[in-house]
Amino acid sequence: MTDPREFVDLTQMLDEGSLSYPGTMSGIALERVDSGIPEVTLTHLAHLDMHCGTHLDAPLHFIPTGCDVTAIPLGLPEIVLVRSQERQIPLQSLRGLPSLRGKAVLFTTGWEQHAGTASYFSGFPSLCPELAAALVDRGASVVGIDSPSVDPASGPFAAHRLLLGGGIPILEGLVQLEVLSERLAAGRTARLIAFPLRIRSLDGSPVRAVAWLTRRTVPSPS
């Protein structure tokens, strides 16, 4: 019997050229340190923007009394993938979907093709406030998108305030959602793995976001 598990990495690759929001600054800097031991490599993170690349926003990011990344419950929620071509994704995108309670609702817009470029941070898709409010009402456990933010760059950041105020963490900067869509269309189901760094008082954190896909196993003939 073959292993029914499969993984799709939804995480951007970062290096010292990676840009951070709003696309005008470096998000990460590395420093090689002399360990004093021959042939041993030691690397320090000289700088890391916690909202660089694929990352999680905790409620604390916009809600002063909200929890930090360490207080977000760990879990493996089932993924519901929503496709949209709208620059401001409308409430109607949820039409016809099953229950969202406890699910990870991820929005694929095709914007991931711009990841790693300066244009990634300009004119990107975001969620309309009515959609964000509906995701809270329908009990989503996490909301993600393949753009750098669930809100337009100009504010007032209504989607952030609604989702984080409702206790729903946000994943931004996802990639390979098109690959995930193909796997789901082939009859797979998927659960989300996306755990933040366990550092107190952080309002956000890079994550290694992965879709864990499973399929039904067919018993071997006896």
Side-chain angles (χ1 to χ4, degrees), residues 51-73:
H51 298 269
C52 181
T54 305
H55 65 276
L56 177 144
D57 290 349
L60 180 61
H61 187 37
F62 272 80
I63 310 300
T65 57
C67 71
D68 67 9
V69 297
T70 67
I72 294 174

mmCIF file of all heavy atoms in Angstrom, residues 51-73:
data_model
loop_
_atom_site.group_PDB
_atom_site.id
_atom_site.type_symbol
_atom_site.label_atom_id
_atom_site.label_comp_id
_atom_site.label_asym_id
_atom_site.label_seq_id
_atom_site.Cartn_x
_atom_site.Cartn_y
_atom_site.Cartn_z
ATOM 1 N N HIS A 51 6.881 40.301 9.217
ATOM 2 C CA HIS A 51 5.818 40.276 8.212
ATOM 3 C C HIS A 51 6.386 40.134 6.804
ATOM 4 O O HIS A 51 5.749 40.509 5.825
ATOM 5 C CB HIS A 51 4.959 41.542 8.335
ATOM 6 C CG HIS A 51 4.276 41.660 9.656
ATOM 7 N ND1 HIS A 51 3.018 41.154 9.907
ATOM 8 C CD2 HIS A 51 4.694 42.211 10.828
ATOM 9 C CE1 HIS A 51 2.681 41.393 11.157
ATOM 10 N NE2 HIS A 51 3.685 42.030 11.742
ATOM 11 N N CYS A 52 7.576 39.576 6.725
ATOM 12 C CA CYS A 52 8.235 39.356 5.433
ATOM 13 C C CYS A 52 7.829 38.003 4.864
ATOM 14 O O CYS A 52 7.675 37.017 5.598
ATOM 15 C CB CYS A 52 9.749 39.405 5.619
ATOM 16 S SG CYS A 52 10.698 39.174 4.112
ATOM 17 N N GLY A 53 7.649 37.953 3.541
ATOM 18 C CA GLY A 53 7.357 36.683 2.886
ATOM 19 C C GLY A 53 6.041 36.087 3.350
ATOM 20 O O GLY A 53 5.056 36.794 3.586
ATOM 21 N N THR A 54 6.008 34.778 3.490
ATOM 22 C CA THR A 54 4.809 34.082 3.962
ATOM 23 C C THR A 54 4.784 34.159 5.483
ATOM 24 O O THR A 54 5.665 33.628 6.151
ATOM 25 C CB THR A 54 4.824 32.619 3.498
ATOM 26 O OG1 THR A 54 4.985 32.580 2.075
ATOM 27 C CG2 THR A 54 3.534 31.913 3.878
ATOM 28 N N HIS A 55 3.765 34.817 6.011
ATOM 29 C CA HIS A 55 3.771 35.096 7.448
ATOM 30 C C HIS A 55 2.357 35.078 8.019
ATOM 31 O O HIS A 55 1.371 35.104 7.284
ATOM 32 C CB HIS A 55 4.416 36.457 7.733
ATOM 33 C CG HIS A 55 3.637 37.604 7.167
ATOM 34 N ND1 HIS A 55 3.751 38.021 5.862
ATOM 35 C CD2 HIS A 55 2.700 38.427 7.715
ATOM 36 C CE1 HIS A 55 2.937 39.031 5.630
ATOM 37 N NE2 HIS A 55 2.275 39.304 6.752
ATOM 38 N N LEU A 56 2.306 35.035 9.331
ATOM 39 C CA LEU A 56 1.044 35.035 10.064
ATOM 40 C C LEU A 56 0.901 36.340 10.835
ATOM 41 O O LEU A 56 1.859 36.806 11.465
ATOM 42 C CB LEU A 56 0.996 33.840 11.011
ATOM 43 C CG LEU A 56 -0.224 33.694 11.918
ATOM 44 C CD1 LEU A 56 -0.582 32.215 12.091
ATOM 45 C CD2 LEU A 56 0.047 34.319 13.301
ATOM 46 N N ASP A 57 -0.292 36.926 10.772
ATOM 47 C CA ASP A 57 -0.651 38.066 11.623
ATOM 48 C C ASP A 57 -1.454 37.560 12.807
ATOM 49 O O ASP A 57 -2.478 36.894 12.630
ATOM 50 C CB ASP A 57 -1.509 39.080 10.866
ATOM 51 C CG ASP A 57 -0.752 39.835 9.792
ATOM 52 O OD1 ASP A 57 0.487 39.730 9.754
ATOM 53 O OD2 ASP A 57 -1.407 40.524 8.987
ATOM 54 N N ALA A 58 -1.007 37.872 14.002
ATOM 55 C CA ALA A 58 -1.760 37.546 15.212
ATOM 56 C C ALA A 58 -2.707 38.701 15.542
ATOM 57 O O ALA A 58 -2.506 39.829 15.085
ATOM 58 C CB ALA A 58 -0.807 37.314 16.380
ATOM 59 N N PRO A 59 -3.742 38.461 16.346
ATOM 60 C CA PRO A 59 -4.644 39.562 16.730
ATOM 61 C C PRO A 59 -3.929 40.794 17.255
ATOM 62 O O PRO A 59 -4.349 41.928 17.003
ATOM 63 C CB PRO A 59 -5.534 38.911 17.787
ATOM 64 C CG PRO A 59 -5.649 37.488 17.320
ATOM 65 C CD PRO A 59 -4.262 37.157 16.801
ATOM 66 N N LEU A 60 -2.810 40.616 17.968
ATOM 67 C CA LEU A 60 -2.068 41.748 18.528
ATOM 68 C C LEU A 60 -1.634 42.750 17.468
ATOM 69 O O LEU A 60 -1.408 43.921 17.764
ATOM 70 C CB LEU A 60 -0.846 41.224 19.291
ATOM 71 C CG LEU A 60 0.064 42.260 19.962
ATOM 72 C CD1 LEU A 60 -0.697 43.056 21.013
ATOM 73 C CD2 LEU A 60 1.284 41.578 20.573
ATOM 74 N N HIS A 61 -1.542 42.315 16.215
ATOM 75 C CA HIS A 61 -1.081 43.190 15.132
ATOM 76 C C HIS A 61 -1.957 44.439 14.979
ATOM 77 O O HIS A 61 -1.449 45.517 14.687
ATOM 78 C CB HIS A 61 -1.057 42.384 13.829
ATOM 79 C CG HIS A 61 -0.446 43.084 12.661
ATOM 80 N ND1 HIS A 61 0.641 43.917 12.765
ATOM 81 C CD2 HIS A 61 -0.775 43.079 11.340
ATOM 82 C CE1 HIS A 61 0.959 44.386 11.572
ATOM 83 N NE2 HIS A 61 0.112 43.907 10.685
ATOM 84 N N PHE A 62 -3.281 44.275 15.190
ATOM 85 C CA PHE A 62 -4.192 45.416 15.072
ATOM 86 C C PHE A 62 -5.071 45.624 16.305
ATOM 87 O O PHE A 62 -5.742 46.643 16.403
ATOM 88 C CB PHE A 62 -5.100 45.241 13.843
ATOM 89 C CG PHE A 62 -4.505 45.801 12.582
ATOM 90 C CD1 PHE A 62 -3.560 45.078 11.872
ATOM 91 C CD2 PHE A 62 -4.880 47.052 12.103
ATOM 92 C CE1 PHE A 62 -3.002 45.580 10.705
ATOM 93 C CE2 PHE A 62 -4.330 47.572 10.938
ATOM 94 C CZ PHE A 62 -3.383 46.831 10.233
ATOM 95 N N ILE A 63 -5.078 44.656 17.211
ATOM 96 C CA ILE A 63 -5.936 44.733 18.391
ATOM 97 C C ILE A 63 -5.038 44.811 19.632
ATOM 98 O O ILE A 63 -4.404 43.814 20.007
ATOM 99 C CB ILE A 63 -6.861 43.497 18.482
ATOM 100 C CG1 ILE A 63 -7.587 43.252 17.159
ATOM 101 C CG2 ILE A 63 -7.837 43.654 19.633
ATOM 102 C CD1 ILE A 63 -8.475 44.380 16.696
ATOM 103 N N PRO A 64 -4.932 45.972 20.288
ATOM 104 C CA PRO A 64 -3.987 46.123 21.399
ATOM 105 C C PRO A 64 -4.160 45.095 22.503
ATOM 106 O O PRO A 64 -3.186 44.728 23.167
ATOM 107 C CB PRO A 64 -4.271 47.542 21.911
ATOM 108 C CG PRO A 64 -4.813 48.266 20.724
ATOM 109 C CD PRO A 64 -5.610 47.251 19.971
ATOM 110 N N THR A 65 -5.392 44.621 22.710
ATOM 111 C CA THR A 65 -5.635 43.623 23.756
ATOM 112 C C THR A 65 -5.617 42.205 23.200
ATOM 113 O O THR A 65 -5.887 41.248 23.932
ATOM 114 C CB THR A 65 -6.999 43.874 24.416
ATOM 115 O OG1 THR A 65 -8.028 43.848 23.410
ATOM 116 C CG2 THR A 65 -7.016 45.222 25.117
ATOM 117 N N GLY A 66 -5.315 42.069 21.908
ATOM 118 C CA GLY A 66 -5.326 40.744 21.283
ATOM 119 C C GLY A 66 -4.120 39.917 21.658
ATOM 120 O O GLY A 66 -3.113 40.418 22.180
ATOM 121 N N CYS A 67 -4.200 38.633 21.354
ATOM 122 C CA CYS A 67 -3.126 37.714 21.728
ATOM 123 C C CYS A 67 -1.946 37.823 20.757
ATOM 124 O O CYS A 67 -2.094 38.249 19.607
ATOM 125 C CB CYS A 67 -3.640 36.278 21.775
ATOM 126 S SG CYS A 67 -4.021 35.537 20.175
ATOM 127 N N ASP A 68 -0.772 37.423 21.248
ATOM 128 C CA ASP A 68 0.411 37.385 20.394
ATOM 129 C C ASP A 68 0.491 36.024 19.697
ATOM 130 O O ASP A 68 -0.406 35.183 19.835
ATOM 131 C CB ASP A 68 1.677 37.688 21.194
ATOM 132 C CG ASP A 68 2.025 36.604 22.219
ATOM 133 O OD1 ASP A 68 1.397 35.521 22.221
ATOM 134 O OD2 ASP A 68 2.943 36.841 23.039
ATOM 135 N N VAL A 69 1.559 35.799 18.933
ATOM 136 C CA VAL A 69 1.644 34.564 18.137
ATOM 137 C C VAL A 69 1.732 33.313 19.005
ATOM 138 O O VAL A 69 1.316 32.227 18.583
ATOM 139 C CB VAL A 69 2.839 34.616 17.170
ATOM 140 C CG1 VAL A 69 2.672 35.734 16.159
ATOM 141 C CG2 VAL A 69 4.169 34.740 17.912
ATOM 142 N N THR A 70 2.264 33.439 20.228
ATOM 143 C CA THR A 70 2.433 32.251 21.065
ATOM 144 C C THR A 70 1.119 31.732 21.615
ATOM 145 O O THR A 70 1.022 30.578 22.030
ATOM 146 C CB THR A 70 3.386 32.534 22.242
ATOM 147 O OG1 THR A 70 2.772 33.472 23.136
ATOM 148 C CG2 THR A 70 4.705 33.094 21.749
ATOM 149 N N ALA A 71 0.089 32.576 21.642
ATOM 150 C CA ALA A 71 -1.198 32.186 22.222
ATOM 151 C C ALA A 71 -2.179 31.659 21.178
ATOM 152 O O ALA A 71 -3.292 31.267 21.533
ATOM 153 C CB ALA A 71 -1.818 33.370 22.961
ATOM 154 N N ILE A 72 -1.788 31.649 19.923
ATOM 155 C CA ILE A 72 -2.667 31.108 18.885
ATOM 156 C C ILE A 72 -2.685 29.591 18.997
ATOM 157 O O ILE A 72 -1.624 28.950 18.976
ATOM 158 C CB ILE A 72 -2.194 31.547 17.489
ATOM 159 C CG1 ILE A 72 -2.356 33.056 17.338
ATOM 160 C CG2 ILE A 72 -2.962 30.813 16.390
ATOM 161 C CD1 ILE A 72 -1.787 33.616 16.062
ATOM 162 N N PRO A 73 -3.860 28.975 19.137
ATOM 163 C CA PRO A 73 -3.915 27.518 19.294
ATOM 164 C C PRO A 73 -3.343 26.798 18.079
ATOM 165 O O PRO A 73 -3.561 27.208 16.931
ATOM 166 C CB PRO A 73 -5.420 27.238 19.435
ATOM 167 C CG PRO A 73 -6.027 28.533 19.841
ATOM 168 C CD PRO A 73 -5.199 29.598 19.200
#
